[in-house]
Amino acid sequence: MRLEIGNFYVKDIKFGDRLSFDDGVLTINKEEALNYIREDERITEAELYIAKPGDKIRMCPVKEAIEPRVRLDGRGLFPGYTSELAQAGDGTLHALKNCSVLVVGRHWGGFQDGIIDMSGEGQKYTYFGYLNNIVLVADTNEDFEKHEQQKKNDALRRAGHKLAEFIGQCVKELTPEDTEVYDLEAMIKRSPEIEKLPSVVYVMQPQSQMENLGYNDLAYGWDMNRMLPTVMHPNEVLDGAIVSGSFMPVSSKWSTYDFQNTPNIKALYREHGKTINFLGVIMSNLNVALDQKERAALYVAQIAKTLGADGAVVAEEGYGNPDADFVGCLVALEDAGVKTIGVTNECTGRNGTSQPLVTLDEKCDAIVSCGNVSELIELPPMETVLGELQSLARDGLSGGWAGDEILGPSVREDGSVIMENNSMFCGDQVVGWSPKTMKEF
């Protein structure tokens, strides 16, 4: 497969008379975009905002992030989800870089939603605090789940994906500033020079623990709770085959933007033919029952061994119960003779002294930590809030609370916030963005 991504770097965003991109400036006709979103009758309120680095803006509850793109062959960005089922990973697309579409609830949040700050102390906790963002703030008529802690957020997430496709159209006929090429040959037809290098697979464990459909990550529109581990070409992941779901404490979450740009995949690509033979992606999942976890781990190890992998990098979208899938997968790979590195966050409690993963094994001796989900964060009031800040405390967001006998409520009367890192939108950045480092004491 050969995927070409033509990049257009967004320096500024503004509203204007027509959708266009010129000299780094993305212009959006707000009413035209909103009318397109309102075609879904479930949308009852919708407004667009612009949030740029340095703006005194806090967003909550943030539900999804997507990179605006367009496929030059006319295919939708997310086959099997926003368009007819088709092969992803081949062909040419154009992407608006340094830019994302963010979806924010107008009123209601849930366990899987979070916060983004565009300036101040909170900016550093999420990748999206440093992007130029088109922010869709909306509400729906999905009354059945407004007061549920777990929300499918189907109408809102689909609106965001459609808006990203709509905006991406403005660069379809333009010449990109530069082009990324991802061209990975068939696994068994590689040159002797590449075959001599250590063979490596990237194992992804997207969130798929909800047996009730509609919450989990999707592969070509298919709920990943219904999948067994399989081989995927890395280009498929970069080209919209995987869509983020609506379940998982949000700092652990992988947004659709993260899948579209997975830094770990790009890093392995860069080393292919130099230091490693990058075989591709083993797409696994996360499960609930122990036998399901064990089955998935056996499948991953068998696939890796059959492909001839010498090494593996395993990344999980989550913590807590999913740690059993993660550790089980690492152990199964090591038992199969595949040297394995894990990438995950940890839950060591607010004081940092608890066991980092729910389960551990002495064979897990090479794990990259992306931070502690329970770390306490205090943020001052922000001049502008997009969405409804009270949702952090009221609606069961994973790092917020309505009251604490020592700390009080997460959202204070003056608009300041105390919360766990858990509520930072995609804050742990396990896909490869994480800027965090370890210190020994």
Side-chain angles (χ1 to χ4, degrees):
M1 285 186 176
R2 180 183 174 89
L3 179 66
E4 297 185 9
I5 304 177
N7 295 321
F8 299 80
Y9 294 90
V10 177
K11 300 173 185 175
D12 197 9
I13 306 173
K14 64 180 183 178
F15 294 122
D17 294 334
R18 66 184 184 89
L19 177 65
S20 65
F21 181 81
D22 183 47
D23 196 25
V25 179
L26 173 62
T27 303
I28 301 168
N29 183 315
K30 182 192 284 192
E31 284 309 309
E32 183 182 36
L34 287 171
N35 288 338
Y36 181 68
I37 291 164
R38 291 176 184 133
E39 289 177 4
D40 186 336
E41 295 180 353
R42 295 176 296 174
I43 302 294
T44 56
E45 294 182 58
E47 186 56 80
L48 288 180
Y49 301 89
I50 296 166
K52 296 178 287 188
D55 288 348
K56 296 179 180 180
I57 292 176
R58 175 168 294 152
M59 290 168 272
C60 180
V62 185
K63 299 174 180 293
E64 173 63 305
I66 314 100
E67 183 172 78
R69 294 177 166 188
V70 61
R71 288 275 311 194
L72 300 196
D73 58 7
R75 194 206 80 197
L77 291 183
F78 309 106
Y81 178 66
T82 59
S83 61
E84 294 297 318
L85 189 62
Q87 180 69 63
D90 239 342
T92 304
L93 62 84
H94 286 173
L96 287 159
K97 310 305 288 187
N98 302 331
C99 169
S100 81
V101 170
L102 297 177
V103 181
V104 179
R106 174 63 186 87
H107 301 290
W108 305 100
F111 189 65
Q112 64 289 317
D113 303 332
I115 277 183
I116 296 173
D117 276 6
M118 296 306 300
S119 61
E121 175 67 16
Q123 183 184 22
K124 68 182 180 184
Y125 289 101
T126 79
Y127 186 78
F128 303 96
Y130 297 95
L131 297 182
N132 296 297
N133 301 298
I134 306 108
V135 186
L136 170 63
V137 180
D139 197 13
T140 78
N141 63 5
E142 296 165 310
D143 294 338
F144 64 93
E145 68 174 15
K146 281 185 176 176
H147 300 290
E148 295 290 333
Q149 187 182 26
Q150 296 287 357
K151 295 177 173 61
K152 295 181 180 180
N153 288 319
D154 185 67
L156 293 178
R157 289 189 295 123
R158 285 183 183 271
H161 296 113
K162 287 181 62 179
L163 181 59
E165 290 185 323
F166 177 85
I167 292 171
Q169 293 290 327
C170 70
V171 294
K172 185 174 183 179
E173 305 299 331
L174 302 182
T175 302
E177 297 174 49
D178 61 48
T179 300
E180 301 171 47
V181 177
Y182 299 97
D183 191 358
L184 196 63
E185 59 271 56
M187 293 180 188
I188 61 172
K189 295 181 179 179
R190 296 183 175 174
S191 69
E193 292 76 18
I194 291 179
E195 291 282 358
K196 291 177 183 177
L197 298 170
S199 296
V200 177
V201 291
Y202 182 47
V203 181
M204 302 183 74
Q205 295 181 310
Q207 184 51 237
S208 56
Q209 288 192 290
M210 288 292 282
E211 295 182 348
N212 185 6
L213 302 184
Y215 297 91
N216 299 307
D217 294 357
L218 304 175
Y220 287 102
W222 185 257
D223 194 298
M224 296 188 75
N225 182 265
R226 299 297 188 261
M227 282 182 60
L228 287 169
T230 188
V231 175
M232 289 188 74
H233 197 288
N235 291 6
E236 293 179 276
V237 181
L238 299 177
D239 189 28
I242 310 296
V243 170
S244 177
S246 188
F247 175 70
M248 202 60 237
V250 75
S251 72
S252 305
K253 184 183 178 74
W254 299 347
S255 69
T256 298
Y257 185 102
D258 291 319
F259 284 113
Q260 291 172 299
N261 292 280
T262 310
N264 289 338
I265 287 179
K266 293 184 178 183
L268 291 166
Y269 250 118
R270 286 193 298 271
E271 293 304 311
H272 178 63
K274 299 175 183 176
T275 61
I276 63 169
N277 174 16
F278 180 30
L279 296 175
V281 172
I282 299 177
M283 188 60 68
S284 187
N285 58 5
L286 297 170
N287 300 280
V288 177
L290 182 59
D291 66 319
Q292 296 169 351
K293 297 173 186 290
E294 292 173 344
R295 185 179 298 111
L298 289 173
Y299 263 91
V300 169
Q302 174 272 124
I303 292 170
K305 193 67 175 176
T306 301
L307 295 178
D310 301 303
V313 178
V314 181
E316 71 163 326
E317 183 187 8
Y319 75 92
N321 183 284
D323 290 342
D325 301 75
F326 177 69
V327 170
C329 187
L330 266 65
V331 171
L333 285 163
E334 289 283 349
D335 285 345
V338 180
K339 295 180 180 179
T340 306
I341 294 172
V343 187
T344 184
N345 55 15
E346 53 186 291
C347 183
T348 54
R350 291 177 181 175
N351 62 5
T353 60
S354 299
Q355 180 172 305
L357 302 178
V358 166
T359 182
L360 293 168
D361 191 283
E362 61 185 9
K363 294 173 183 174
C364 303
D365 58 0
I367 293 180
V368 177
S369 172
C370 296
N372 175 17
V373 300
S374 302
E375 178 187 350
L376 278 176
I377 297 171
E378 291 193 63
L379 301 173
M382 192 65 80
E383 189 173 291
T384 300
V385 174
L386 301 182
E388 192 165 304
L389 185 58
Q390 192 58 42
S391 67
L392 172 65
R394 181 193 63 214
D395 297 338
L397 273 68
S398 50
W401 53 86
D404 182 285
E405 60 182 16
I406 297 174
L407 302 174
S410 279
V411 180
R412 296 160 174 158
E413 290 185 5
D414 65 352
S416 62
V417 167
I418 184 168
M419 54 181 258
E420 292 183 353
N421 174 57
N422 251 322
S423 279
M424 283 296 175
F425 181 76
C426 301
D428 295 325
Q429 306 174 58
V430 171
V431 294
W433 306 112
S434 179
K436 296 176 183 176
T437 58
M438 300 294 291
K439 288 185 177 181
E440 292 188 11
F441 294 93

